[in-house]
Amino acid sequence: MIDEEEMIIKTLDKFINKNIIKPYKESDKIIDMHVHSCYSDGVLTPNELIRLAIDKRISTLSITDHDTIEGIKKVDRTDKLIQDTGIEIINGIELSAKRETGRMHILGYGIDLENKDLNKKMSELRDISINSVLTILEQIKKDYNIRFNYDDIKDLVNSTHHINRVDIARLCVKNGYATSVKDAFNRYLIDAYDKTRTTRTGIYYEECLDLIKRSGGIPVLAHPKTLELSEKELLKTIRDMMSCGLEGIEVYHSSHSLEQMKLYRRIAEEYNLLISGGSDFHGKGVKPDIEMGSGKNNNLNIKTLSLVDRLHNR
């Protein structure tokens, strides 16, 4: 764990033990509907995320791990800390949709964690992620002669979390091929991802949307800028996705400029889509420039979202 985050969590635990933690004032409340735990590519455990969220005065939090629900399943909503502060934890997931250009992620909110179809697909997605990681490992071995020992790869494949490129980046740092996770992505993994995208298995957005709907959730297009589309192409894609069940768009995100946020809000209003937003927090070891709740350079301070209102009124 990174020192700053560990210090915050330990200090908060002392306050909890002394019963100093109090419920939020209405004016203090902020929302973060997009954070990741160590069960995908984040740094902190689900409980540590919740403690950090409380320190940052976040009143509504959604843990949206990539292609897994194991992290959100670990949250105990009867925990005294959650009960005393009144923090709301919303079930979430972020599914990766296969496409030939850009990156498409679809967030699902309010999902039923016990849904049989969802849990079956999670097992399939774990196998897909392992194959994808092995494919990328072969690509960087071919292109850069990067090799890892058998035990490292074995531990990776047998790990309890959903593995992805961040795990490869960490191995690059461990073995001296990169100085940081970001450095590994810039040097090797962005290129390797693009080269292997057509040969890797995965699920398309139609199946992602259907899976979220069948598990009782609300599907939302995550950080639309990563689709790398013109405005005209984006609008067409959104219309196509709406015909398959898309209900919302992530307007507010750490990577979005003010101009992009205005554009996505206008699109949401024009197409009657629910508005969501979140930091996409992973932790200092993965995305050091992004803070939970406040985003990048304090570009977020979300007080209300129509998505959250919808979830409350279902």
Side-chain angles (χ1 to χ4, degrees):
M1 185 189 303
I2 305 306
D3 290 344
E4 179 186 357
E5 289 161 356
E6 185 175 13
M7 180 180 67
I8 289 172
I9 292 164
K10 286 183 176 179
T11 301
L12 184 61
D13 283 339
K14 290 181 182 178
F15 288 158
I16 293 165
N17 292 334
K18 294 179 180 180
N19 294 317
I20 296 174
I21 296 296
K22 302 296 181 184
Y24 306 136
K25 295 179 181 178
E26 198 65 34
S27 59
D28 290 339
K29 292 182 178 181
I30 58 175
I31 299 169
D32 196 330
M33 294 292 285
H34 192 161
V35 304
H36 295 274
S37 81
C38 62
Y39 283 86
S40 61
D41 54 348
V43 174
L44 304 180
T45 68
N47 285 336
E48 289 168 342
L49 284 175
I50 292 169
R51 278 165 165 73
L52 185 61
I54 290 169
D55 178 78
K56 292 181 175 294
R57 312 306 292 172
I58 292 168
S59 60
T60 303
L61 181 76
S62 186
I63 298 174
T64 54
D65 284 325
H66 292 286
D67 303 316
T68 180
I69 53 176
E70 292 308 306
I72 189 63
K73 279 185 173 182
K74 296 297 186 292
V75 175
D76 178 9
R77 288 169 172 80
T78 66
D79 183 85
K80 187 176 185 297
L81 171 61
I82 295 176
Q83 294 290 320
D84 287 353
T85 60
I87 186 171
E88 179 181 20
I89 311 298
I90 293 176
N91 293 344
I93 191 170
E94 185 173 16
L95 295 175
S96 303
K98 184 177 174 64
R99 60 184 283 111
E100 294 181 1
T101 59
R103 289 185 298 116
M104 177 183 282
H105 291 168
I106 301 173
L107 295 154
Y109 295 107
I111 52 176
D112 175 8
L113 301 181
E114 303 304 318
N115 182 273
K116 291 182 179 179
D117 291 338
L118 179 64
N119 280 273
K120 180 181 178 182
K121 182 56 68 173
M122 292 302 99
S123 178
E124 294 174 14
L125 290 179
R126 174 167 172 77
D127 291 339
I128 288 173
S129 73
I130 291 172
N131 290 330
S132 295
V133 164
L134 292 176
T135 300
I136 291 174
L137 286 173
E138 283 299 312
Q139 190 66 46
I140 63 174
K141 176 181 176 182
K142 174 184 174 182
D143 290 347
Y144 306 103
N145 198 31
I146 292 178
R147 301 168 184 267
F148 303 116
N149 65 51
Y150 173 78
D151 287 338
D152 278 341
I153 296 176
K154 180 182 177 182
D155 289 345
L156 184 59
V157 171
N158 292 328
S159 63
T160 57
H161 70 280
H162 189 89
I163 64 174
N164 49 54
R165 287 184 295 166
V166 171
D167 294 286
I168 303 175
R170 287 170 174 156
L171 281 182
C172 287
V173 174
K174 175 184 175 182
N175 288 272
Y177 293 112
T179 58
S180 66
V181 167
K182 184 177 181 179
D183 183 45
F185 268 80
N186 290 338
R187 286 194 187 191
Y188 320 116
L189 298 180
I190 293 175
D191 180 58
Y193 178 86
D194 288 336
K195 287 181 177 179
T196 60
R197 68 164 69 236
T198 57
T199 58
R200 296 194 314 271
T201 54
I203 58 176
Y204 291 93
Y205 76 74
E206 293 90 343
E207 186 174 357
C208 294
L209 295 168
D210 181 61
L211 179 64
I212 292 168
K213 299 282 280 189
R214 284 190 287 115
S215 60
I218 297 175
V220 171
L221 176 63
H223 40 67
K225 68 168 288 183
T226 62
L227 294 175
E228 300 175 7
L229 299 174
S230 67
E231 183 176 341
K232 182 178 179 180
E233 292 169 330
L234 176 61
L235 292 176
K236 181 182 185 307
T237 298
I238 287 174
R239 288 194 297 269
D240 291 343
M241 295 179 74
M242 288 178 65
S243 70
C244 297
L246 181 72
E247 294 186 57
I249 182 172
E250 190 173 43
V251 170
Y252 307 109
H253 186 269
S254 297
S255 71
H256 292 171
S257 66
L258 180 59
E259 291 73 20
Q260 287 169 329
M261 292 184 195
K262 288 179 179 177
L263 169 63
Y264 302 144
R265 185 178 184 91
R266 177 171 61 79
I267 292 172
E269 292 170 349
E270 180 179 347
Y271 286 92
N272 198 29
L273 289 165
L274 296 171
I275 292 174
S276 187
S279 64
D280 205 353
F281 173 82
H282 286 67
K284 297 295 184 185
V286 180
K287 294 186 177 181
D289 56 344
I290 294 176
E291 297 288 343
M292 186 189 294
S294 57
K296 186 175 183 179
N297 298 323
N298 294 310
N299 69 334
L300 299 178
N301 184 31
I302 304 169
K303 295 290 187 179
T304 61
L305 290 172
S306 59
L307 169 68
V308 174
D309 294 339
R310 173 68 63 83
L311 288 165
H312 288 164
N313 293 326
R314 288 204 300 175

mmCIF file with all atom_site columns, all heavy atoms in Angstrom, residues 169-186:
data_model
loop_
_atom_site.group_PDB
_atom_site.id
_atom_site.type_symbol
_atom_site.label_atom_id
_atom_site.label_alt_id
_atom_site.label_comp_id
_atom_site.label_asym_id
_atom_site.label_entity_id
_atom_site.label_seq_id
_atom_site.pdbx_PDB_ins_code
_atom_site.Cartn_x
_atom_site.Cartn_y
_atom_site.Cartn_z
_atom_site.occupancy
_atom_site.B_iso_or_equiv
_atom_site.pdbx_formal_charge
_atom_site.auth_seq_id
_atom_site.auth_comp_id
_atom_site.auth_asym_id
_atom_site.auth_atom_id
_atom_site.pdbx_PDB_model_num
ATOM 1   N N   . ALA A 1 169 ? 2.553  -4.858  -16.138 1.00 0.00 ? 169 ALA A N   1
ATOM 2   C CA  . ALA A 1 169 ? 3.346  -3.654  -15.864 1.00 0.00 ? 169 ALA A CA  1
ATOM 3   C C   . ALA A 1 169 ? 4.107  -3.796  -14.546 1.00 0.00 ? 169 ALA A C   1
ATOM 4   O O   . ALA A 1 169 ? 5.279  -3.410  -14.441 1.00 0.00 ? 169 ALA A O   1
ATOM 5   C CB  . ALA A 1 169 ? 2.435  -2.431  -15.831 1.00 0.00 ? 169 ALA A CB  1
ATOM 6   N N   . ARG A 1 170 ? 3.449  -4.346  -13.547 1.00 0.00 ? 170 ARG A N   1
ATOM 7   C CA  . ARG A 1 170 ? 4.112  -4.540  -12.250 1.00 0.00 ? 170 ARG A CA  1
ATOM 8   C C   . ARG A 1 170 ? 5.270  -5.521  -12.369 1.00 0.00 ? 170 ARG A C   1
ATOM 9   O O   . ARG A 1 170 ? 6.316  -5.347  -11.727 1.00 0.00 ? 170 ARG A O   1
ATOM 10  C CB  . ARG A 1 170 ? 3.089  -5.016  -11.223 1.00 0.00 ? 170 ARG A CB  1
ATOM 11  C CG  . ARG A 1 170 ? 2.113  -3.921  -10.777 1.00 0.00 ? 170 ARG A CG  1
ATOM 12  C CD  . ARG A 1 170 ? 0.973  -4.480  -9.963  1.00 0.00 ? 170 ARG A CD  1
ATOM 13  N NE  . ARG A 1 170 ? 0.124  -3.413  -9.421  1.00 0.00 ? 170 ARG A NE  1
ATOM 14  C CZ  . ARG A 1 170 ? -1.145 -3.575  -9.088  1.00 0.00 ? 170 ARG A CZ  1
ATOM 15  N NH1 . ARG A 1 170 ? -1.735 -4.772  -9.231  1.00 0.00 ? 170 ARG A NH1 1
ATOM 16  N NH2 . ARG A 1 170 ? -1.850 -2.564  -8.599  1.00 0.00 ? 170 ARG A NH2 1
ATOM 17  N N   . LEU A 1 171 ? 5.104  -6.550  -13.188 1.00 0.00 ? 171 LEU A N   1
ATOM 18  C CA  . LEU A 1 171 ? 6.202  -7.487  -13.420 1.00 0.00 ? 171 LEU A CA  1
ATOM 19  C C   . LEU A 1 171 ? 7.359  -6.797  -14.136 1.00 0.00 ? 171 LEU A C   1
ATOM 20  O O   . LEU A 1 171 ? 8.533  -7.082  -13.855 1.00 0.00 ? 171 LEU A O   1
ATOM 21  C CB  . LEU A 1 171 ? 5.719  -8.685  -14.247 1.00 0.00 ? 171 LEU A CB  1
ATOM 22  C CG  . LEU A 1 171 ? 4.935  -9.776  -13.519 1.00 0.00 ? 171 LEU A CG  1
ATOM 23  C CD1 . LEU A 1 171 ? 4.572  -10.899 -14.489 1.00 0.00 ? 171 LEU A CD1 1
ATOM 24  C CD2 . LEU A 1 171 ? 5.741  -10.333 -12.356 1.00 0.00 ? 171 LEU A CD2 1
ATOM 25  N N   . CYS A 1 172 ? 7.030  -5.901  -15.062 1.00 0.00 ? 172 CYS A N   1
ATOM 26  C CA  . CYS A 1 172 ? 8.078  -5.141  -15.761 1.00 0.00 ? 172 CYS A CA  1
ATOM 27  C C   . CYS A 1 172 ? 8.889  -4.313  -14.770 1.00 0.00 ? 172 CYS A C   1
ATOM 28  O O   . CYS A 1 172 ? 10.122 -4.247  -14.855 1.00 0.00 ? 172 CYS A O   1
ATOM 29  C CB  . CYS A 1 172 ? 7.466  -4.232  -16.825 1.00 0.00 ? 172 CYS A CB  1
ATOM 30  S SG  . CYS A 1 172 ? 6.852  -5.092  -18.298 1.00 0.00 ? 172 CYS A SG  1
ATOM 31  N N   . VAL A 1 173 ? 8.204  -3.676  -13.820 1.00 0.00 ? 173 VAL A N   1
ATOM 32  C CA  . VAL A 1 173 ? 8.893  -2.877  -12.804 1.00 0.00 ? 173 VAL A CA  1
ATOM 33  C C   . VAL A 1 173 ? 9.735  -3.778  -11.909 1.00 0.00 ? 173 VAL A C   1
ATOM 34  O O   . VAL A 1 173 ? 10.907 -3.481  -11.624 1.00 0.00 ? 173 VAL A O   1
ATOM 35  C CB  . VAL A 1 173 ? 7.874  -2.078  -11.968 1.00 0.00 ? 173 VAL A CB  1
ATOM 36  C CG1 . VAL A 1 173 ? 8.572  -1.365  -10.815 1.00 0.00 ? 173 VAL A CG1 1
ATOM 37  C CG2 . VAL A 1 173 ? 7.127  -1.084  -12.835 1.00 0.00 ? 173 VAL A CG2 1
ATOM 38  N N   . LYS A 1 174 ? 9.146  -4.886  -11.476 1.00 0.00 ? 174 LYS A N   1
ATOM 39  C CA  . LYS A 1 174 ? 9.842  -5.819  -10.591 1.00 0.00 ? 174 LYS A CA  1
ATOM 40  C C   . LYS A 1 174 ? 11.127 -6.344  -11.218 1.00 0.00 ? 174 LYS A C   1
ATOM 41  O O   . LYS A 1 174 ? 12.150 -6.508  -10.524 1.00 0.00 ? 174 LYS A O   1
ATOM 42  C CB  . LYS A 1 174 ? 8.913  -6.991  -10.256 1.00 0.00 ? 174 LYS A CB  1
ATOM 43  C CG  . LYS A 1 174 ? 9.565  -8.101  -9.445  1.00 0.00 ? 174 LYS A CG  1
ATOM 44  C CD  . LYS A 1 174 ? 8.604  -9.262  -9.236  1.00 0.00 ? 174 LYS A CD  1
ATOM 45  C CE  . LYS A 1 174 ? 9.301  -10.417 -8.528  1.00 0.00 ? 174 LYS A CE  1
ATOM 46  N NZ  . LYS A 1 174 ? 8.381  -11.587 -8.366  1.00 0.00 ? 174 LYS A NZ  1
ATOM 47  N N   . ASN A 1 175 ? 11.097 -6.565  -12.524 1.00 0.00 ? 175 ASN A N   1
ATOM 48  C CA  . ASN A 1 175 ? 12.251 -7.152  -13.212 1.00 0.00 ? 175 ASN A CA  1
ATOM 49  C C   . ASN A 1 175 ? 13.156 -6.123  -13.888 1.00 0.00 ? 175 ASN A C   1
ATOM 50  O O   . ASN A 1 175 ? 14.051 -6.480  -14.642 1.00 0.00 ? 175 ASN A O   1
ATOM 51  C CB  . ASN A 1 175 ? 11.776 -8.183  -14.237 1.00 0.00 ? 175 ASN A CB  1
ATOM 52  C CG  . ASN A 1 175 ? 11.260 -9.454  -13.593 1.00 0.00 ? 175 ASN A CG  1
ATOM 53  O OD1 . ASN A 1 175 ? 12.018 -10.374 -13.321 1.00 0.00 ? 175 ASN A OD1 1
ATOM 54  N ND2 . ASN A 1 175 ? 9.960  -9.506  -13.331 1.00 0.00 ? 175 ASN A ND2 1
ATOM 55  N N   . GLY A 1 176 ? 12.899 -4.837  -13.625 1.00 0.00 ? 176 GLY A N   1
ATOM 56  C CA  . GLY A 1 176 ? 13.789 -3.804  -14.108 1.00 0.00 ? 176 GLY A CA  1
ATOM 57  C C   . GLY A 1 176 ? 13.586 -3.364  -15.545 1.00 0.00 ? 176 GLY A C   1
ATOM 58  O O   . GLY A 1 176 ? 14.416 -2.625  -16.095 1.00 0.00 ? 176 GLY A O   1
ATOM 59  N N   . TYR A 1 177 ? 12.466 -3.761  -16.155 1.00 0.00 ? 177 TYR A N   1
ATOM 60  C CA  . TYR A 1 177 ? 12.191 -3.349  -17.533 1.00 0.00 ? 177 TYR A CA  1
ATOM 61  C C   . TYR A 1 177 ? 11.531 -1.975  -17.603 1.00 0.00 ? 177 TYR A C   1
ATOM 62  O O   . TYR A 1 177 ? 11.467 -1.368  -18.670 1.00 0.00 ? 177 TYR A O   1
ATOM 63  C CB  . TYR A 1 177 ? 11.284 -4.363  -18.220 1.00 0.00 ? 177 TYR A CB  1
ATOM 64  C CG  . TYR A 1 177 ? 11.924 -5.723  -18.441 1.00 0.00 ? 177 TYR A CG  1
ATOM 65  C CD1 . TYR A 1 177 ? 11.463 -6.839  -17.753 1.00 0.00 ? 177 TYR A CD1 1
ATOM 66  C CD2 . TYR A 1 177 ? 12.972 -5.876  -19.339 1.00 0.00 ? 177 TYR A CD2 1
ATOM 67  C CE1 . TYR A 1 177 ? 12.037 -8.092  -17.954 1.00 0.00 ? 177 TYR A CE1 1
ATOM 68  C CE2 . TYR A 1 177 ? 13.558 -7.116  -19.550 1.00 0.00 ? 177 TYR A CE2 1
ATOM 69  C CZ  . TYR A 1 177 ? 13.084 -8.228  -18.843 1.00 0.00 ? 177 TYR A CZ  1
ATOM 70  O OH  . TYR A 1 177 ? 13.662 -9.447  -19.048 1.00 0.00 ? 177 TYR A OH  1
ATOM 71  N N   . ALA A 1 178 ? 11.011 -1.496  -16.466 1.00 0.00 ? 178 ALA A N   1
ATOM 72  C CA  . ALA A 1 178 ? 10.351 -0.191  -16.415 1.00 0.00 ? 178 ALA A CA  1
ATOM 73  C C   . ALA A 1 178 ? 10.515 0.398   -15.028 1.00 0.00 ? 178 ALA A C   1
ATOM 74  O O   . ALA A 1 178 ? 10.772 -0.326  -14.054 1.00 0.00 ? 178 ALA A O   1
ATOM 75  C CB  . ALA A 1 178 ? 8.869  -0.332  -16.765 1.00 0.00 ? 178 ALA A CB  1
ATOM 76  N N   . THR A 1 179 ? 10.348 1.694   -14.936 1.00 0.00 ? 179 THR A N   1
ATOM 77  C CA  . THR A 1 179 ? 10.513 2.374   -13.654 1.00 0.00 ? 179 THR A CA  1
ATOM 78  C C   . THR A 1 179 ? 9.204  2.525   -12.891 1.00 0.00 ? 179 THR A C   1
ATOM 79  O O   . THR A 1 179 ? 9.205  2.774   -11.700 1.00 0.00 ? 179 THR A O   1
ATOM 80  C CB  . THR A 1 179 ? 11.130 3.777   -13.862 1.00 0.00 ? 179 THR A CB  1
ATOM 81  O OG1 . THR A 1 179 ? 10.282 4.541   -14.729 1.00 0.00 ? 179 THR A OG1 1
ATOM 82  C CG2 . THR A 1 179 ? 12.523 3.661   -14.474 1.00 0.00 ? 179 THR A CG2 1
ATOM 83  N N   . SER A 1 180 ? 8.092  2.388   -13.592 1.00 0.00 ? 180 SER A N   1
ATOM 84  C CA  . SER A 1 180 ? 6.775  2.517   -12.970 1.00 0.00 ? 180 SER A CA  1
ATOM 85  C C   . SER A 1 180 ? 5.741  1.826   -13.852 1.00 0.00 ? 180 SER A C   1
ATOM 86  O O   . SER A 1 180 ? 6.040  1.444   -14.990 1.00 0.00 ? 180 SER A O   1
ATOM 87  C CB  . SER A 1 180 ? 6.393  3.990   -12.797 1.00 0.00 ? 180 SER A CB  1
ATOM 88  O OG  . SER A 1 180 ? 6.225  4.597   -14.069 1.00 0.00 ? 180 SER A OG  1
ATOM 89  N N   . VAL A 1 181 ? 4.531  1.682   -13.314 1.00 0.00 ? 181 VAL A N   1
ATOM 90  C CA  . VAL A 1 181 ? 3.444  1.097   -14.102 1.00 0.00 ? 181 VAL A CA  1
ATOM 91  C C   . VAL A 1 181 ? 3.193  1.934   -15.355 1.00 0.00 ? 181 VAL A C   1
ATOM 92  O O   . VAL A 1 181 ? 3.054  1.399   -16.462 1.00 0.00 ? 181 VAL A O   1
ATOM 93  C CB  . VAL A 1 181 ? 2.162  0.988   -13.247 1.00 0.00 ? 181 VAL A CB  1
ATOM 94  C CG1 . VAL A 1 181 ? 0.946  0.676   -14.120 1.00 0.00 ? 181 VAL A CG1 1
ATOM 95  C CG2 . VAL A 1 181 ? 2.328  -0.082  -12.171 1.00 0.00 ? 181 VAL A CG2 1
ATOM 96  N N   . LYS A 1 182 ? 3.144  3.239   -15.176 1.00 0.00 ? 182 LYS A N   1
ATOM 97  C CA  . LYS A 1 182 ? 2.921  4.134   -16.323 1.00 0.00 ? 182 LYS A CA  1
ATOM 98  C C   . LYS A 1 182 ? 4.029  4.000   -17.351 1.00 0.00 ? 182 LYS A C   1
ATOM 99  O O   . LYS A 1 182 ? 3.769  3.980   -18.564 1.00 0.00 ? 182 LYS A O   1
ATOM 100 C CB  . LYS A 1 182 ? 2.816  5.582   -15.833 1.00 0.00 ? 182 LYS A CB  1
ATOM 101 C CG  . LYS A 1 182 ? 2.490  6.577   -16.936 1.00 0.00 ? 182 LYS A CG  1
ATOM 102 C CD  . LYS A 1 182 ? 2.317  7.980   -16.384 1.00 0.00 ? 182 LYS A CD  1
ATOM 103 C CE  . LYS A 1 182 ? 1.968  8.963   -17.495 1.00 0.00 ? 182 LYS A CE  1
ATOM 104 N NZ  . LYS A 1 182 ? 1.782  10.335  -16.967 1.00 0.00 ? 182 LYS A NZ  1
ATOM 105 N N   . ASP A 1 183 ? 5.257  3.906   -16.890 1.00 0.00 ? 183 ASP A N   1
ATOM 106 C CA  . ASP A 1 183 ? 6.397  3.745   -17.793 1.00 0.00 ? 183 ASP A CA  1
ATOM 107 C C   . ASP A 1 183 ? 6.269  2.454   -18.596 1.00 0.00 ? 183 ASP A C   1
ATOM 108 O O   . ASP A 1 183 ? 6.537  2.430   -19.811 1.00 0.00 ? 183 ASP A O   1
ATOM 109 C CB  . ASP A 1 183 ? 7.692  3.747   -16.984 1.00 0.00 ? 183 ASP A CB  1
ATOM 110 C CG  . ASP A 1 183 ? 8.937  3.652   -17.862 1.00 0.00 ? 183 ASP A CG  1
ATOM 111 O OD1 . ASP A 1 183 ? 9.003  4.364   -18.882 1.00 0.00 ? 183 ASP A OD1 1
ATOM 112 O OD2 . ASP A 1 183 ? 9.848  2.863   -17.525 1.00 0.00 ? 183 ASP A OD2 1
ATOM 113 N N   . ALA A 1 184 ? 5.849  1.378   -17.952 1.00 0.00 ? 184 ALA A N   1
ATOM 114 C CA  . ALA A 1 184 ? 5.676  0.103   -18.647 1.00 0.00 ? 184 ALA A CA  1
ATOM 115 C C   . ALA A 1 184 ? 4.598  0.181   -19.720 1.00 0.00 ? 184 ALA A C   1
ATOM 116 O O   . ALA A 1 184 ? 4.747  -0.371  -20.811 1.00 0.00 ? 184 ALA A O   1
ATOM 117 C CB  . ALA A 1 184 ? 5.337  -0.999  -17.632 1.00 0.00 ? 184 ALA A CB  1
ATOM 118 N N   . PHE A 1 185 ? 3.518  0.885   -19.409 1.00 0.00 ? 185 PHE A N   1
ATOM 119 C CA  . PHE A 1 185 ? 2.463  1.064   -20.408 1.00 0.00 ? 185 PHE A CA  1
ATOM 120 C C   . PHE A 1 185 ? 2.987  1.855   -21.599 1.00 0.00 ? 185 PHE A C   1
ATOM 121 O O   . PHE A 1 185 ? 2.775  1.469   -22.759 1.00 0.00 ? 185 PHE A O   1
ATOM 122 C CB  . PHE A 1 185 ? 1.260  1.777   -19.780 1.00 0.00 ? 185 PHE A CB  1
ATOM 123 C CG  . PHE A 1 185 ? 0.224  0.839   -19.222 1.00 0.00 ? 185 PHE A CG  1
ATOM 124 C CD1 . PHE A 1 185 ? 0.405  0.240   -17.986 1.00 0.00 ? 185 PHE A CD1 1
ATOM 125 C CD2 . PHE A 1 185 ? -0.928 0.550   -19.934 1.00 0.00 ? 185 PHE A CD2 1
ATOM 126 C CE1 . PHE A 1 185 ? -0.540 -0.637  -17.471 1.00 0.00 ? 185 PHE A CE1 1
ATOM 127 C CE2 . PHE A 1 185 ? -1.886 -0.317  -19.435 1.00 0.00 ? 185 PHE A CE2 1
ATOM 128 C CZ  . PHE A 1 185 ? -1.685 -0.912  -18.192 1.00 0.00 ? 185 PHE A CZ  1
ATOM 129 N N   . ASN A 1 186 ? 3.658  2.953   -21.307 1.00 0.00 ? 186 ASN A N   1
ATOM 130 C CA  . ASN A 1 186 ? 4.151  3.809   -22.392 1.00 0.00 ? 186 ASN A CA  1
ATOM 131 C C   . ASN A 1 186 ? 5.196  3.104   -23.253 1.00 0.00 ? 186 ASN A C   1
ATOM 132 O O   . ASN A 1 186 ? 5.225  3.276   -24.475 1.00 0.00 ? 186 ASN A O   1
ATOM 133 C CB  . ASN A 1 186 ? 4.734  5.096   -21.811 1.00 0.00 ? 186 ASN A CB  1
ATOM 134 C CG  . ASN A 1 186 ? 3.668  6.011   -21.237 1.00 0.00 ? 186 ASN A CG  1
ATOM 135 O OD1 . ASN A 1 186 ? 2.500  5.913   -21.604 1.00 0.00 ? 186 ASN A OD1 1
ATOM 136 N ND2 . ASN A 1 186 ? 4.057  6.888   -20.335 1.00 0.00 ? 186 ASN A ND2 1
#
